[in-house]
Amino acid sequence: MAESLGVTEPPSRKVDTEPTSPFLRACHGLPADRTPVWLLRQAGRYMPEYRALREQHSMLDVIRTPELAAQVTLMPVDAFGVDAAIVFSDILPPLVGMGLELDFVQGDGPKIGNPLSSPRDVDLLGTPPAEETMSGTLGAIALVRRELESRAIPVIGFAGAPFTLASYAIEGGTSKDFSKTKAFMLSEPAAWRRLLTKLATVQADYLLAQAQAGAQALQVFDSWAGRALGREDYLRYVAPVNRELYAAIATAGVPVINFSLGVSAYLAEAAGCGGDVVGLDWQLPLDEACTLLGDERPVQGNLDPASLLAPWRELQARADDVLERAAGRPGHIFNVGHGVVPQTSVDNVRRLVEHVRERTST
Ligand code: CP3
């Protein structure tokens, strides 16, 4: 419920004409003249152009400067001809506006300087509007949209899901076992619920603002709930707030992709929280995941990103396997089942995108 998260709903922007881009057609479950392809973390450290730019600017500077973020967003579009651009940002900067200190430490990933450890810390978190705190990313979306409109390539906005963000806010960085997060969740269930509601409120407002700035699809990344929690804990401590988040952003008038990593043990339940498209990780073969979903919802995925580290023949065979398992479903967006890793060869990415395009063109 948008109201329960305190979000002001923008007027509905439902499309009244059928979209023409293969990516948006697939998001709506409509047939397209080929299977669209883009890659999670497609603008990243495996690209020499990105590394060169990062030598000049810090990660947070790139994210906060619309021109730089737009430049990075366009890198994989220009280099490989992917069918969608995901705005260059990260899931963590919205935490800064809430009162957390964020830094991206070279070689050590994101760090929070003042992690949460008590219910009082949760109550001190603010929930300012995205226009105030994330104007760099909103500006980058507007720039990219203007640039890509004539090429009919849609721009995707994104945010992190409440559990994943809570894990960074409590652990202070990426975690292997999520022990502090789970200890907080189990010891302070009321404060846990307040924390997740605050995070969902801020992300819902941010996602709606991204759609208003020009994003034509939205993706929610729940990278760690499935890694951290068994099914019963997920249903009890995470699913209710995820349902509220998806309900709040359903009013954006653009398709929403629900990407929940590591949820094979409760895929239908995680997908049931909301979203139009189900983003599949790489653990289950695509056809089996679709059977578990038990519906005709469009899916995105699900090549193991490690496949991109293999020689081309092996990569090609694994990409073909994904395409065969999707068997021409109108609602299939080809993607990796988690982010492209830094060691990936640019040449393999180029060949993969070309191959999916050629193999599926009608
Ligand atoms: O093309 C794109 O997708 C770029 C935009 C993007 C980034 N992060 C840029 C980034 C997106 C969509 C993300 C999402 C993100 N960030 C997630 C969810 C997706 C997933 O992979 O599970 C998570 C969990 C994070 C948190 C995060 N940010 C980590 C763990 C790290 C360090 C390790 C890593 O994956 O690179 C980051 C830093 C980060 N975010 C970099 C980039 C390009 C590397 C920064 C650098 O050193 O240049």
Side-chain angles (χ1 to χ4, degrees):
M1 305 341 70
E3 293 77 23
S4 74
L5 291 177
V7 170
T8 329
E9 292 179 22
S12 172
R13 307 194 339 154
K14 283 256 174 281
V15 275
D16 44 16
T17 48
E18 279 198 0
T20 51
S21 81
F23 169 75
L24 287 177
R25 290 187 68 81
C27 285
H28 289 281
L30 298 166
D33 54 10
R34 60 190 160 76
T35 300
V37 48
W38 69 281
L39 303 174
L40 303 181
R41 311 296 294 271
Q42 63 190 11
R45 288 177 298 177
Y46 74 100
M47 292 190 82
E49 325 57 321
Y50 173 77
R51 287 200 301 269
L53 187 112
R54 280 279 285 104
E55 275 172 27
Q56 309 297 319
H57 306 277
S58 74
M59 177 73 175
L60 285 170
D61 281 347
V62 179
I63 292 174
R64 287 172 179 155
T65 313
E67 293 74 18
L68 292 177
Q71 187 186 337
V72 179
T73 305
L74 294 172
M75 284 175 180
V77 179
D78 293 334
F80 315 119
V82 285
D83 290 301
I86 183 161
V87 65
F88 188 80
S89 185
D90 194 81
I91 59 168
L92 300 172
L95 298 181
V96 176
M98 299 179 76
L100 292 162
E101 294 157 14
L102 170 67
D103 198 8
F104 290 94
V105 181
Q106 199 72 40
D108 204 17
K111 293 284 166 240
I112 302 289
N114 54 344
L116 309 175
S117 60
S118 69
R120 187 179 141 72
D121 292 344
V122 171
D123 295 331
L124 289 174
L125 290 174
T127 55
E131 278 83 1
E132 275 172 26
T133 61
M134 294 302 297
S135 57
T137 302
L138 299 176
I141 288 172
L143 287 178
V144 172
R145 173 79 186 262
R146 208 175 310 150
E147 180 67 30
L148 293 181
E149 191 82 70
S150 60
R151 290 148 77 180
I153 298 171
V155 53
I156 304 171
F158 71 93
F163 180 93
T164 293
L165 295 177
S167 79
Y168 283 97
I170 295 171
E171 308 280 343
T174 308
S175 172
K176 280 203 164 39
D177 59 9
F178 304 94
S179 51
K180 288 183 186 151
T181 309
K182 292 172 79 169
F184 193 101
M185 179 182 95
L186 297 171
S187 318
E188 301 286 355
W192 171 261
R193 177 66 211 212
R194 292 202 297 282
L195 171 60
L196 263 62
T197 301
K198 277 190 169 179
L199 289 166
T201 301
V202 170
Q203 305 321 304
D205 172 66
Y206 177 39
L207 287 160
L208 292 172
Q210 292 183 68
Q212 282 192 319
Q216 291 142 293
L218 299 170
Q219 174 150 331
V220 178
F221 286 93
D222 206 352
S223 301
W224 307 136
R227 287 271 169 89
L229 302 180
R231 186 184 63 196
E232 297 306 303
D233 282 341
Y234 179 85
L235 292 176
R236 181 164 174 187
Y237 294 104
V238 175
V241 79
N242 278 2
R243 283 196 289 271
E244 289 174 4
L245 173 64
Y246 287 108
I249 61 176
T251 60
V254 300
V256 171
I257 305 167
N258 169 345
F259 176 72
S260 302
L261 185 80
V263 295
S264 300
Y266 43 89
L267 179 63
E269 289 87 346
C273 289
D276 303 288
V277 178
V278 182
L280 299 171
D281 74 13
W282 48 271
Q283 298 213 316
L284 281 177
L286 188 139
D287 50 339
E288 287 180 38
C290 291
T291 304
L292 278 181
L293 288 173
D295 58 25
E296 288 302 303
R297 265 161 95 187
V299 292
Q300 172 175 283
N302 77 340
L303 182 72
D304 179 349
S307 311
L308 282 153
L309 305 175
W312 168 246
R313 286 289 155 212
E314 178 65 22
L315 169 57
Q316 183 185 24
R318 294 166 70 103
D320 285 345
D321 182 61
V322 172
L323 290 170
E324 276 154 31
R325 288 176 190 274
R329 284 171 72 99
H332 177 225
I333 300 153
F334 187 96
N335 208 318
V336 275
H338 199 193
V340 173
V341 299
Q343 301 81 358
T344 298
S345 112
V346 168
D347 205 43
N348 264 356
V349 174
R350 181 176 303 110
R351 290 176 86 165
L352 174 66
V353 173
E354 268 169 25
H355 179 71
V356 173
R357 169 156 308 161
E358 278 164 20
R359 171 99 206 238
T360 63
S361 289
T362 51

